[in-house]
Amino acid sequence: MALTAGIVGLPNVGKSTLFNAITKSQVEAANYPFATISPNVGIVEVPDYRLNKITELITPQKTIPTTFEFTDIAGLVKGASQGEGLGNQFLANIREVDAITQVVRCFDDSDITHVSDQIDPIDDIETINLELILADLELIEKRLNRIEKKATQTKDKDGLYEVKVLKKIQSVLLDNKKAITCELTKEELEVINHFRLLTIKPMIYVANMNEEDIIHYEDHKYYQAVLSLAQAEDTIVIPICAKIEAEIATLAEEDQEIFLNELGFEQSGLNRLIKVAYDILNLKTYFTAGVQEVRAWTFHNGMLAPQCAGIIHSDFEKGFIKAEVMSYEDLITYQSEAKVKENGHLRIEGKEYVVKDGDIMHFRFNV
């Protein structure tokens, strides 16, 4: 279940430095033999202490975490929606991701030029967001030009409904607001899903700061400006020093912990970003556990047991019979699957079971 966040931003904001940290943290390809990792994709582990605890109790031959992909998208510039700076190609790349991570420059450095010759994170954000809005607006207007007249003349029910939904979104975009702010029903979302609108994707702002300012980021004027904007949009801003993240990524795991403790951080900015990206897409984790392998699997919150089985293999979903389920908490309490079963906490669930975050599952199927 490959889920991807695209990293966007203006040139010289630290986007490439952050992506370098991601690629240095990349999981070994040996665990994913069927995946070809493209040069601009970094596959990172989703940090989860539960996976380590399960491994300690089961002692499997190998442990495989669930993963998340970050795609590095070349720097956007003003006019990208009209093709400036190969903008159309870059915008097309953004359409393929599930969420957008916008890196914002929140540091002063006379040696690193800014495309606008001034440091203004809010102006930078507005520049990027406007290009995304204009690109969506162009797409919607092209679609309306293609179908509105015909739908009106033929009184085609589906066509007229699509026109209504597109105009609803168009009015929001014309007001310089993102499509995600438009109140859409489930049915309306289904009509426009295939357009992969840029501004309907959830967005995370990454405030890239220098080494000195990141220590007390809460007091920094640039961070506070981005935070105010993020709160107004009901989204999240993650303070990061990309240079520090790149340094952390080169260290051994035990050295990373020492380095972070010295800085006064509980975890790296990259790990915080991964968790937020995971949460913002409403993703959860279930586990499979046996002596051969303990593994974490990503699923969308609300998925049923057969759908989650299908994440492992389509045959599991087609031939699903039932699932043996225990919670992570019960395994920790009783220390073994046998003890969980003895105490009546190993459950047999059917096709209508809604899988919960932290479930440890064994699927029974027949093909």
Side-chain angles (χ1 to χ4, degrees), residues 29-258:
N31 284 332
Y32 305 92
F34 303 110
T36 301
I37 300 175
S38 112
N40 70 328
V41 174
I43 301 178
V44 292
E45 296 179 8
V46 176
D48 195 325
Y49 69 92
R50 298 173 299 183
L51 187 66
N52 298 330
K53 291 289 186 181
I54 296 169
T55 297
E56 288 173 14
L57 294 173
I58 304 293
T59 58
Q61 293 175 23
K62 61 179 176 178
T63 299
I64 301 178
T66 190
T67 60
F68 197 91
E69 292 184 7
F70 284 94
T71 299
D72 185 30
I73 294 164
L76 292 173
V77 294
K78 194 171 185 177
S81 57
Q82 278 78 50
E84 290 292 327
L86 298 178
N88 290 332
Q89 178 185 334
F90 301 152
L91 291 168
N93 290 338
I94 302 172
R95 291 204 189 279
E96 299 307 311
V97 303
D98 301 292
I100 298 173
T101 301
Q102 185 176 160
V103 181
V104 186
R105 178 168 171 172
C106 290
F107 62 88
D108 294 305
D109 189 332
S110 57
D111 293 331
I112 302 175
T113 59
H114 189 284
V115 289
S116 302
D117 292 325
Q118 62 175 349
I119 309 303
D120 185 343
I122 301 306
D123 185 65
D124 291 358
I125 289 171
E126 289 174 350
T127 297
I128 295 288
N129 288 350
L130 180 59
E131 293 305 323
L132 302 182
I133 287 168
L134 290 173
D136 279 350
L137 196 55
E138 181 183 13
L139 186 151
I140 283 178
E141 288 175 347
K142 281 182 178 178
R143 179 63 178 169
L144 283 171
N145 288 338
R146 194 175 301 132
I147 70 165
E148 185 175 11
K149 185 176 179 181
K150 182 180 177 181
T152 303
Q153 288 175 343
T154 61
K155 293 183 170 56
D156 175 60
K157 186 178 177 183
D158 291 338
L160 288 170
Y161 186 69
E162 182 180 342
V163 168
K164 176 188 169 186
V165 176
L166 290 174
K167 286 194 168 183
K168 185 175 179 179
I169 298 170
Q170 183 187 41
S171 66
V172 169
L173 296 172
L174 286 170
D175 199 26
N176 281 346
K177 294 178 182 175
K178 299 177 189 174
I180 199 169
T181 66
C182 187
E183 293 184 10
L184 299 171
T185 65
K186 184 180 178 182
E187 292 74 20
E188 288 171 333
L189 282 169
E190 287 174 357
V191 168
I192 54 94
N193 269 345
H194 66 284
F195 292 123
R196 300 187 70 79
L197 295 175
L198 301 171
T199 63
I200 210 158
K201 300 177 189 294
M203 181 178 285
I204 304 162
Y205 293 114
V206 172
N208 185 24
M209 309 177 74
N210 64 28
E211 298 96 317
E212 295 79 26
D213 294 331
I214 193 67
I215 305 299
H216 302 290
Y217 65 88
E218 303 99 329
D219 303 323
H220 199 270
K221 62 179 181 178
Y222 293 151
Y223 171 77
Q224 284 297 330
V226 178
L227 178 63
S228 295
L229 184 145
Q231 288 174 337
E233 292 185 356
D234 193 26
T235 188
I236 296 171
V237 55
I238 304 290
I240 274 181
C241 175
K243 288 176 74 173
I244 288 177
E245 296 302 318
E247 187 176 342
I248 290 170
T250 64
L251 301 174
E253 193 170 330
E254 57 273 20
D255 293 331
Q256 287 184 13
E257 192 171 335
I258 294 168

